[in-house]
C-alpha cells in the first residue's frame, strides 16, 4: 500500500471565506503547502490580496484574493465568476468568516443581587442590531456562500464543505449569547446539509476551534493595560487541560484531514481542536 498523503488536494480549487483573518491565514498556508489553488474570499480585499501574495510567494501555490461579502448573495456570485475564470471550478469550500462583536456581548456574566438594578449591562440591555449582526455573520454567512460556492461540486458530483464552529456551540460561554447560538446552529446545519448532499458526492463537516487569541476576542481575554490575561482569559487557560491558548497552526492538521479524500467516508461531524477543553468537566 502507498503511504497515505494529501496528494489528492494538488491542483484542486479551494475557496475560503474570511481567509484573510488570523485562523484563516493559517489554514490557507496549510492548504497551499499541498499545492491546492486557493481563493481567499474576504470582505477586506486589500488584506486578502496581501495574504494571498505572501502565501503564494512562500509556497509556490496559486493563491488569489477576491472581494466577497458572505452576507450578500450577489457579491458571492460575482466572486464565484471571478474564481471560475481565474482558477477553474470550485472543489472545496471553507466557511471561515465569522466572529463576535462587543455590541452583542453582555457587560456582566450573570444577573445577581448586586447588578439587578442595572439591567442595561445584562441580557435585557442587548441591542438587537448587534445581536442580528453577529447571528447573521456566523449563520447566514455560512449558508449563503455554501449555496453559491458548491454549485460546481454539485455538477461534478464531488466536493467538500468545511464549516468553522466553536466551543461555544457545545456549551455557551457567558456574555456572548448571539455568537454561541449562531455557532450551535452551525453544528446543526453541518449535520443537516451533510445528509442533504450525501448522495451527490459532497461531504460537509466542521471544526470547532477551542481558544485562540485573535482580533475578535482579544478585548475579552486580554487585559490591554497589563498585557496579561484578563480574569476571563485566565479562566479559559485554567479550563483547557493543555494549559494554554491554541496557536492558529494547530488547526492545520484537522483542516487538511477533513478536506482531503483521506476522510472520504466522513461527513456530518464536528471535530474539536481545543487542547482538551470540551473533554474537561472543570474538576
Ligand atoms: P478574524 O477576525 O481574524 O478573521 C475573520 C475574517 O473574516 C477577516 O478577514 C474579516 O475581514 C472576514 N470577514 C468579516 N466579515 C466578513 C463578511 N461579511 N464577508 C466576508 N468576510 C468577512 O477571525 P478568526 O479569529 O480568524 O476567526 C475565524 C473563524 O474562526 C470565525 O468563524 C470564528 O468565529 C471562528 N473561531 C475563532 C476562535 C478564536 O479563538 N479566535 C475560536 C473558535 C472559532
Amino acid at each position: 500500500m502507498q503511504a497515505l498523503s494529501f496528494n489528492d488536494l494538488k491542483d484542486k480549487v479551494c475557496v475560503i471565506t474570511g481567509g484573510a483573518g488570523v485562523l484563516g491565514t493559517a489554514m490557507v498556508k496549510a492548504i497551499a503547502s499541498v499545492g491546492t489553488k486557493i481563493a481567499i474570499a474576504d470582505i477586506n480585499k486589500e488584506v486578502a490580496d496581501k495574504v494571498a501574495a505572501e502565501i503564494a510567494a512562500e509556497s509556490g501555490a496559486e493563491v488569489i484574493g477576491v472581494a466577497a461579502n458572505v452576507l450578500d448573495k450577489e457579491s458571492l456570485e460575482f466572486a464565484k465568476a471571478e474564481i471560475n475564470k481565474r482558477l477553474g471550478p470550485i472543489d472545496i469550500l471553507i466557511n471561515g468568516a465569522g466572529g463576535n462583536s462587543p455590541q452583542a456581548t453582555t457587560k456582566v456574566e450573570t444577573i445577581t443581587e448586586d447588578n439587578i438594578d442595572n439591567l442595561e449591562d445584562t441580557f435585557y440591555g442587548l441591542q438587537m442590531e448587534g445581536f442580528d449582526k453577529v447571528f447573521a455573520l456566523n449563520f447566514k454567512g455560512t449558508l449563503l456562500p455554501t449555496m453559491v460556492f458548491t454549485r460546481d461540486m454539485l455538477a461534478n458530483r464531488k466536493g467538500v464543505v468545511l464549516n468553522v464552529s466553536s466551543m461555544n456551540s457545545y456549551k455557551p460561554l457567558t456574555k456572548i449569547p448571539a455568537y454561541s447560538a449562531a455557532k450551535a446552529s452551525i453544528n446543526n446545519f453541518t449535520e443537516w446539509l451533510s445528509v442533504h448532499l450525501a448522495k451527490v458526492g459532497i461531504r460537509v463537516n466542521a471544526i470547532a476551534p477551542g481558544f485562540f487569541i485573535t482580533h475578535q476576542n482579544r478585548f475579552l481575554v486580554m487585559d490591554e493595560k497589563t498585557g496579561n490575561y484578563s480574569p476571563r482569559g485566565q479562566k479559559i487557560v485554567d479550563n483547557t487541560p493543555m494549559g494554554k491558548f491554541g496557536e492558529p497552526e494547530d488547526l492545520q492538521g484537522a483542516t487538511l484531514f477533513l478536506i482531503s479524500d483521506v476522510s472520504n467516508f466522513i461527513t456530518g461531524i464536528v471535530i474539536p481542536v481545543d487542547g482538551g477543553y470540551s473533554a474537561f468537566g472543570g474538576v
Side-chain angles (χ1 to χ4, degrees):
M1 176 188 154
Q2 279 211 319
L4 282 178
S5 76
F6 297 125
N7 283 346
D8 63 285
L9 292 172
K10 190 164 164 30
D11 295 329
K12 290 247 173 82
V13 175
C14 172
V15 179
I16 174 165
T17 69
V22 179
L23 301 185
T25 298
M27 291 162 94
V28 174
K29 281 186 183 165
I31 302 163
S33 77
V34 294
T36 308
K37 298 178 194 171
I38 304 164
I40 298 177
D42 204 287
I43 202 163
N44 192 337
K45 166 91 161 78
E46 207 181 312
V47 186
D49 281 341
K50 188 169 165 280
V51 171
E54 277 168 17
I55 298 178
E58 204 178 278
S59 64
E62 205 169 342
V63 188
I64 63 170
V66 178
N69 178 356
V70 293
L71 298 175
D72 177 355
K73 202 169 177 197
E74 211 180 318
S75 126
L76 293 164
E77 273 159 0
F78 204 72
K80 179 177 182 295
E82 187 181 342
I83 295 163
N84 284 161
K85 200 165 131 208
R86 295 175 67 187
L87 300 182
I90 297 163
D91 303 293
I92 300 159
L93 167 65
I94 300 181
N95 283 309
N100 187 40
S101 153
Q103 285 177 299
T105 304
T106 65
K107 290 202 179 61
V108 295
E109 292 186 350
T110 59
I111 299 182
T112 65
E113 289 304 332
D114 293 336
N115 61 29
I116 196 162
D117 293 327
N118 192 9
L119 290 179
E120 268 308 293
D121 289 351
T122 73
F123 165 71
Y124 298 98
L126 281 173
Q127 299 298 314
M128 280 329 290
E129 195 193 335
F131 201 99
D132 284 348
K133 246 166 63 184
V134 168
F135 203 88
L137 176 61
N138 290 282
F139 184 61
K140 195 171 158 197
T142 290
L143 190 85
L144 281 182
T146 306
M147 273 184 188
V148 174
F149 292 131
T150 56
R151 288 304 185 102
D152 300 336
M153 305 180 204
L154 204 55
N156 287 338
R157 303 289 191 276
K158 185 171 169 64
V160 182
V161 178
L162 181 64
N163 295 329
V164 180
S165 180
S166 157
M167 281 302 109
N168 285 278
S169 67
Y170 305 110
K171 289 273 174 223
L173 261 61
T174 55
K175 291 187 167 183
I176 50 176
Y179 183 72
S180 302
K183 288 301 190 186
S185 77
I186 291 299
N187 294 11
N188 192 281
F189 176 61
T190 298
E191 292 181 339
W192 185 87
L193 193 67
S194 72
V195 173
H196 197 64
L197 296 177
K199 292 196 174 61
V200 289
I202 303 176
R203 299 187 296 113
V204 185
N205 293 295
I207 53 171
F211 298 93
F212 298 77
I213 299 174
T214 56
H215 308 310
Q216 56 157 306
N217 62 16
R218 188 174 301 275
F219 74 100
L220 284 171
V221 300
M222 296 301 292
D223 180 335
E224 271 178 34
K225 284 190 202 106
T226 63
N228 297 325
Y229 295 139
S230 66
R232 190 175 174 89
Q234 188 60 51
K235 236 194 249 181
I236 287 171
V237 171
D238 293 342
N239 280 282
T240 300
M242 289 190 180
K244 57 181 186 180
F245 279 86
E247 297 297 333
E249 291 70 27
D250 293 331
L251 298 174
Q252 293 172 328
T255 300
L256 290 179
F257 170 67
L258 286 173
I259 64 170
S260 151
D261 285 347
V262 300
S263 61
N264 232 354
F265 198 48
I266 297 179
T267 196
I269 67 159
V270 184
I271 297 187
V273 184
D274 66 347
Y277 180 90
S278 58
F280 184 43
V283 181

